[in-house]
Amino acid sequence: MPIQFITEENGLEYPLALLHQSAFPEHEYWKPEDFKTLMALPTHSACVYMDKENVMLGFLFYSKIIDEAEIVTFAVSPSFQGRGIGKAILEQFIKKMKMENIKSVFLEVAEDNKKAYQLYCNYNFEVQTKRVDYYGKNKNAYLMLKSLS
């Protein structure tokens, strides 16, 4: 299976940052040191999708505290979007969270990110509230929640 769960810092901060930058070029993307710092924390992990040549095509970066998980950031390489990679990552992530007795998963998604919003809706995430100017002036976000219990 091309999906792996990474629970500690292991040198993947550069591919994570490069993929994040390619997926979010118009936003403030994360730098390698951002990923390295967070991966050193016991609460943060990544679910990564690697191809046969061990090239990262997508990832979901998340945190867990007690029985709750947050999808902190989620990206698929733009040239591989629309091929089911995001769905595969999200499905494996949800499966793992259920196995770890996580009761709910939440995230923020940009109001104008229609593809991501639809993906989350397809997996029964529900809008809890709208966060006005969350990503900057006139850049709103939805806070979404999925119950796993």
Side-chain angles (χ1 to χ4, degrees), residues 22-23 32 48 51 75 104 114 126:
S22 72
V48 298
D51 71 5
S104 62
K114 304 295 184 201
E126 297 177 348

Side-chain angles (χ1 to χ4, degrees), residues 68-86:
E68 187 173 78
E70 176 186 9
I71 296 174
V72 179
T73 190
F74 185 8
V76 174
S77 175
S79 56
F80 288 89
Q81 290 178 3
R83 299 184 191 189
I85 292 171

Side-chain angles (χ1 to χ4, degrees), residues 13-14 31-38:
E13 63 269 13
Y14 288 97
K31 296 168 184 60
E33 53 270 17
D34 298 328
F35 284 103
K36 185 174 184 169
T37 298
L38 290 174

Side-chain angles (χ1 to χ4, degrees), residues 27-90:
H27 299 290
E28 190 170 315
Y29 50 85
W30 291 18
K31 296 168 184 60
E33 53 270 17
D34 298 328
F35 284 103
K36 185 174 184 169
T37 298
L38 290 174
M39 285 298 290
L41 300 173
T43 53
H44 288 70
S45 302
C47 176
V48 298
Y49 187 107
M50 309 292 263
D51 71 5
K52 293 174 189 168
E53 286 79 38
N54 220 25
V55 173
M56 188 182 300
L57 302 181
F59 72 86
L60 184 154
F61 195 78
Y62 65 98
S63 68
K64 289 188 312 184
I65 298 177
I66 307 172
D67 62 355
E68 187 173 78
E70 176 186 9
I71 296 174
V72 179
T73 190
F74 185 8
V76 174
S77 175
S79 56
F80 288 89
Q81 290 178 3
R83 299 184 191 189
I85 292 171
K87 284 175 55 176
I89 294 170
L90 189 57

Side-chain angles (χ1 to χ4, degrees), residues 69-118:
E70 176 186 9
I71 296 174
V72 179
T73 190
F74 185 8
V76 174
S77 175
S79 56
F80 288 89
Q81 290 178 3
R83 299 184 191 189
I85 292 171
K87 284 175 55 176
I89 294 170
L90 189 57
E91 286 172 6
Q92 287 302 309
F93 168 74
I94 290 169
K95 183 178 177 180
K96 182 171 179 64
M97 294 303 100
K98 286 179 178 178
M99 288 175 25
E100 294 182 3
N101 297 312
I102 296 296
K103 294 192 177 11
S104 62
V105 176
F106 69 97
L107 58 90
E108 286 93 13
V109 63
E111 183 178 40
D112 63 355
N113 190 342
K114 304 295 184 201
K115 285 185 198 176
Y117 176 79
Q118 190 58 55

